[in-house]
Amino acid sequence: SHEFTQAELNAGGNDKCGLYNRVEATVAEITGFRWDELCIPVEQTASIDIEKATNGEDADTPTGPMITVGDAVNWSYVVTNTGNVTLDLVVSDDQGVNVSCPSAQLEPAAAVTCTASGTAVAGQYANVGTADGIPQMGSAVQDTDPSHYYGTEAGFTIVKSSPQYPGPLTAPGTVNYSYLVTNTGNIALT
C-alpha cells in the first residue's frame, strides 16, 4: 500500500503518469526476476470562490448599505479553495483598496477571511474583489464578487425673505416672511 499525500497530488503524482508503482519479485526456483508496474492517473482540480461583503452585508447589487460620508467602510473577502490542490492566494480589489489576508496559501476545502477598510465617499460606490489561486502545477484560477454601498450626505440651505425688506416698516402692521429650503445632500430629508 501507499499513503498518497496532498503534496503528491499538488505535484501531479510521483511520475509523469500520476502515481507510479513498480514491483519486482524473485523466487529461488527461477533465474532472474519478474516485475510489473502500475500507473494511476491523478486528477488535479484547481477551483476558488470569493464572497465579498461591505460592512457585513453581501451587497452584490446596488445600492448596498447606506453609509454616512466620512464614516468607516469595512470589506471582508471570504475565499474558499473549492478544488483538490493547494493554492497560492492573491486577493485584490479593482478600486485600489489594500486587501490584507492572514494566509497566502489555501489547502483544499480551507477558507480564509481577508479584510480591507476605507472611508465612505458620496453617492453610489461599487468595487469588485478578485481572488486568484495559483496551483503548483496547471493553470491559475480566478473568481470575482462585486460589492456596493451608498455614501449618504445630508445637507440643506435656507434663505429667508420678506416683501417688506428692505423697509422702512410702519406700525402698526404685519411683517410677512417666506423661507426657501433646498436639499443640497443626496438623501431625502424629513
Side-chain angles (χ1 to χ4, degrees), residues 54-90:
T54 299
N55 283 11
E57 290 187 33
D58 185 12
D60 289 349
T61 58
T63 59
M66 305 291 265
I67 304 172
T68 302
V69 170
D71 282 359
V73 182
N74 296 299
W75 292 284
S76 63
Y77 309 74
V78 178
V79 182
T80 305
N81 182 343
T82 54
N84 69 353
V85 293
T86 303
L87 299 172
D88 289 336
L89 177 64
V90 177

Side-chain angles (χ1 to χ4, degrees), residues 20-92:
Y20 174 79
N21 188 277
R22 178 181 167 126
V23 64
E24 296 179 4
T26 60
V27 293
E29 296 78 18
I30 301 174
T31 305
F33 64 91
R34 302 287 188 266
W35 64 273
D36 196 10
E37 62 184 2
L38 182 64
C39 189
I40 302 172
V42 173
E43 183 177 335
Q44 294 177 308
T45 305
S47 181
I48 198 166
D49 179 68
I50 185 172
E51 293 301 323
K52 182 176 180 186
T54 299
N55 283 11
E57 290 187 33
D58 185 12
D60 289 349
T61 58
T63 59
M66 305 291 265
I67 304 172
T68 302
V69 170
D71 282 359
V73 182
N74 296 299
W75 292 284
S76 63
Y77 309 74
V78 178
V79 182
T80 305
N81 182 343
T82 54
N84 69 353
V85 293
T86 303
L87 299 172
D88 289 336
L89 177 64
V90 177
V91 179
S92 59

Side-chain angles (χ1 to χ4, degrees), residues 4-176:
F4 189 62
T5 67
Q6 184 65 51
E8 287 176 307
L9 178 60
N10 291 342
N14 61 8
D15 192 68
K16 288 184 251 175
C17 70
L19 179 62
Y20 174 79
N21 188 277
R22 178 181 167 126
V23 64
E24 296 179 4
T26 60
V27 293
E29 296 78 18
I30 301 174
T31 305
F33 64 91
R34 302 287 188 266
W35 64 273
D36 196 10
E37 62 184 2
L38 182 64
C39 189
I40 302 172
V42 173
E43 183 177 335
Q44 294 177 308
T45 305
S47 181
I48 198 166
D49 179 68
I50 185 172
E51 293 301 323
K52 182 176 180 186
T54 299
N55 283 11
E57 290 187 33
D58 185 12
D60 289 349
T61 58
T63 59
M66 305 291 265
I67 304 172
T68 302
V69 170
D71 282 359
V73 182
N74 296 299
W75 292 284
S76 63
Y77 309 74
V78 178
V79 182
T80 305
N81 182 343
T82 54
N84 69 353
V85 293
T86 303
L87 299 172
D88 289 336
L89 177 64
V90 177
V91 179
S92 59
D93 187 286
D94 71 330
Q95 295 294 329
V97 174
N98 184 24
V99 180
S100 175
C101 296
S103 176
Q105 197 170 68
L106 271 180
E107 295 295 324
V112 65
T113 300
C114 304
T115 58
S117 61
T119 302
V121 296
Q124 185 63 63
Y125 183 88
N127 60 0
V128 177
T130 301
D132 290 293
I134 301 104
Q136 184 176 339
M137 295 180 65
S139 299
V141 291
Q142 184 178 82
D143 191 33
T144 61
D145 193 39
S147 199
H148 302 82
Y149 74 81
Y150 192 84
T152 62
E153 190 168 40
F156 71 95
T157 60
I158 185 167
V159 176
K160 181 178 181 181
S161 62
S162 172
Q164 285 87 9
Y165 179 80
L169 293 177
T170 58
T174 303
V175 179
N176 296 308

